Amino acid sequence: MSTTHIDAGPGDFAETVLLPGDPLRARHIAENLLDRSQQVAGLRNMLGFTGEYRGQRVSVMGSGMGIPSACIYATELLEKFGVRRLVRVGTCGAVRDDIRLGDLILAQGACTDSGVNRQRFGGMDFAAIASWALLSRVAEQAGRQALPVRVGNVFSSDLFYAVDPKLAQRLVQMGILGIDMEAAGLYGVAAACGAEALTVLTVSDHLPRGEALPPAQRATGVDAMIRLVLDALTSASG
Ligand code: HPA
C-alpha cells in the first residue's frame, strides 16, 4: 500500500513519528538513537525508518522544507498509515534579544504568513496549537533533566529569504520565540485529522545578530533535543 509520496506498507510506521526536515537527519536518528531500526520509506529520498526507543516502537521520517512539503507527509502518515502523533524536531531562527543560539523552544502555538490554515478553515483565522498532552510531556521531561526550554508562539514563514523589512520587528513585538517553516502547517493537518502534533526547535540562527550555530554544535544540540523528545515520549510518567 504505497501512497502518492510514501512507499511503505500497512503497519510499517509506529503510532508516533518524529519529523526532522532533513531525511539524512532521519537516518542519523534511526542509526544512532533507535534500536533495531529499519528503513520503511524512501520515495524521492524522503527516508523513513521504524525502530525502538527504550523498548517502544517509534518512527522517524524526513518532512522536507516548508509547509507544503511537511503537509504532504503529515497528511499521508495520519490518513493512510495509522499514525496518531507527529513531533517535528527542527531548527529555527530567532529575533528576540533574550534568545540565544542553542536554546530549546516548544512551539505552543504557530503563527504564519501561509494561507493553508485559512484554506482549511473557510477563510477564518485558525489558532494553530500544539497538543497539550505532547507539549506537557516534553516540558515535564525537560524539567526532570533540568534542561531550560522556552514555551510559546513561533512563526512559520513561507519565505526563508523574507522580503518584508519590518517582519523581524513585528515578530519581536508579538513575542514570537522563533521562525521555522513548518509548525503552523503541521498543527493544521493534525487538527484536521484529529491527531496530536508538537514542534520542538533548536535555535540555529539569530537573525538581527547575524549569528549561526557552527555545524558541530548544531548537530550536538539537535541530538540533545531529539533525545529529550524520545525520553519524554517513552517515559512511564505522563
Ligand atoms: N527562518 C526560517 N526557518 C529557519 C530559520 C530561519 O531563519 N533558521 C532555521 N530554520
Side-chain angles (χ1 to χ4, degrees), residues 91-93 160 179-181 204-205 207:
T91 56
C92 68
F160 182 86
I179 310 175
D180 85 337
M181 300 185 73
S204 60
D205 309 273
L207 308 185

XYZ file of all heavy atoms in Angstrom, residues 91-93 160 179-181 204-205 207, ligand 1:
84
model
N 15.093 23.059 13.457
C 15.835 24.249 13.891
C 15.022 25.490 13.534
O 14.084 25.425 12.743
C 17.210 24.333 13.193
O 17.006 24.309 11.781
C 18.121 23.199 13.605
N 15.389 26.599 14.164
C 14.667 27.837 13.864
C 15.606 29.023 13.979
O 16.684 28.931 14.564
C 13.480 28.010 14.811
S 13.927 28.331 16.516
N 15.159 30.125 13.408
C 15.846 31.391 13.573
C 15.214 32.140 14.736
O 14.058 31.894 15.081
N 11.985 31.678 3.262
C 13.185 31.693 4.105
C 13.863 33.051 3.962
O 14.297 33.647 4.945
C 14.145 30.568 3.669
C 15.381 30.476 4.516
C 15.375 29.733 5.692
C 16.537 31.134 4.152
C 16.510 29.662 6.492
C 17.676 31.067 4.945
C 17.662 30.327 6.115
N 11.505 31.423 14.346
C 10.935 31.321 12.995
C 11.323 29.968 12.413
O 12.515 29.641 12.317
C 11.507 32.403 12.053
C 11.430 33.782 12.691
C 10.769 32.380 10.718
C 12.090 34.863 11.828
N 10.301 29.177 12.041
C 10.588 27.960 11.274
C 9.785 28.046 9.977
O 9.351 29.133 9.590
C 10.291 26.681 12.094
C 8.840 26.250 12.031
O 7.952 27.103 11.757
O 8.569 25.058 12.248
N 9.586 26.922 9.315
C 8.836 26.973 8.061
C 7.782 25.867 7.974
O 7.284 25.578 6.885
C 9.803 26.879 6.866
C 10.809 28.015 6.845
S 11.846 28.011 5.387
C 10.684 28.572 4.156
N 19.048 27.832 15.740
C 20.294 27.658 14.975
C 20.845 28.978 14.441
O 22.011 29.060 14.071
C 20.058 26.713 13.793
O 19.066 27.235 12.936
N 19.966 29.998 14.379
C 20.396 31.295 13.827
C 19.791 32.411 14.666
O 18.670 32.273 15.151
C 19.852 31.499 12.398
C 20.161 30.324 11.508
O 21.240 30.318 10.929
O 19.314 29.406 11.424
N 18.816 36.143 13.782
C 18.797 36.978 12.580
C 19.335 38.389 12.824
O 20.272 38.805 12.142
C 17.395 36.986 11.957
C 16.792 35.582 11.701
C 15.477 35.665 10.971
C 17.748 34.685 10.944
N 13.942 31.108 9.044
C 13.153 30.073 8.784
N 13.464 28.836 9.115
C 14.622 28.620 9.748
C 15.491 29.659 10.048
C 15.122 30.975 9.679
O 15.848 31.941 9.914
N 16.566 29.124 10.673
C 16.344 27.787 10.753
N 15.170 27.477 10.194
